[in-house]
Amino acid sequence: MTISDRLGLSDAQERRAARVLQLGLVGLVGYGLVTTRFDIAATGGFALAITLLPAALRREYGYSMDVGLVLWIAVAMILHTVGSLWLYEWFQWYDEITHTVSATIIAGIGYASFRAFELHSDDIDVPPAFRAVFIVVFVLAAGVVWEVLEFSLGGVITVYGIDDIVTDFVFNAVGAVITAVWGTGYVDGLVGFFRRRIRSNSER
């Protein structure tokens, strides 16, 4: 089952929704520039670039990502960017939601990469339990990289302190577990794409 099937929306509806969210990100980038809120402009620009990656993959490699997954990525990106306005400061639970949602995407990418290598190589055969552990570790490692990036760009991206970092890691782990338990089937298409790219590169 794909995300599109689960959401119960047509591809056209999901595509339109993703475009609306991308336009919202463009608007937030513009708002950040006009008001000299460069943290919002930077966050929005980064988020917009992430939402454009599926289109780049389709153009460069002919891979059409599930539209529901594209929409899910756009939802995660706009949640983070909108939070930079004031929601992070006002509502602790909002930060928890955004990190959980984003972690499910990072977990899906990590799982798809690992599974593609496993299917490509006859020497790699791991039990499902280890795959679940890998997903959680991968997301936590990505979280470390992100926190280091936040500190290094402290003048551009707002840093909220040690307590916030600990909370981020907790809900990153929650998102990873959600994907490990229920979400791996939604990235089968991505697994296939990564596997084809690995095969193509190994044949060169």
Side-chain angles (χ1 to χ4, degrees):
M1 177 180 289
T2 64
I3 293 178
S4 297
D5 296 330
R6 178 65 68 182
L7 293 175
L9 300 174
S10 68
D11 285 354
Q13 290 173 319
E14 291 177 340
R15 195 172 290 108
R16 284 195 295 270
R19 294 291 179 269
V20 168
L21 294 177
Q22 287 176 324
L23 288 174
L25 288 171
V26 171
L28 288 168
V29 171
Y31 169 80
L33 293 174
V34 169
T35 60
T36 66
R37 288 289 305 276
F38 297 119
D39 57 331
I40 296 175
T43 302
F46 176 76
L48 182 61
I50 295 297
T51 66
L52 295 175
L53 284 178
L57 292 177
R58 184 175 63 251
R59 183 177 60 255
E60 295 296 325
Y61 302 107
Y63 167 63
S64 295
M65 186 179 292
D66 171 51
V67 183
L69 184 55
V70 175
L71 177 59
W72 191 245
I73 292 172
V75 168
M77 293 301 99
I78 200 158
L79 283 175
H80 267 296
T81 308
V82 169
S84 300
L85 294 174
W86 45 267
L87 291 177
Y88 285 141
E89 291 89 347
W90 287 18
F91 306 109
Q92 175 63 41
W93 54 262
Y94 187 85
D95 189 39
E96 296 164 359
I97 290 174
T98 59
H99 275 273
T100 301
V101 172
S102 296
T104 61
I105 295 172
I106 300 299
I109 294 172
Y111 168 80
S113 303
F114 181 81
R115 184 66 174 147
F117 275 108
E118 182 184 2
L119 293 173
H120 175 73
S121 175
D122 295 333
D123 298 326
I124 303 176
D125 185 18
V126 299
F130 182 83
R131 294 186 202 127
V133 171
F134 172 82
I135 289 172
V136 175
V137 172
F138 181 85
V139 170
L140 293 178
V144 170
V145 173
W146 176 253
E147 297 299 338
V148 170
L149 179 64
E150 282 191 340
F151 270 102
S152 64
L153 298 176
V156 178
I157 299 176
T158 304
V159 179
Y160 294 99
I162 299 300
D163 289 343
D164 178 69
I165 293 174
V166 173
T167 302
D168 290 350
F169 274 105
V170 169
F171 286 91
N172 287 345
V174 170
V177 170
I178 290 173
T179 299
V181 176
W182 294 292
T184 55
Y186 295 115
V187 293
D188 285 342
L190 198 57
V191 172
F193 169 70
F194 285 155
R195 188 182 183 188
R196 289 191 297 274
R197 295 307 307 163
I198 294 170
R199 184 189 303 120
S200 175
N201 290 333
S202 65
E203 291 174 351
R204 292 180 180 177

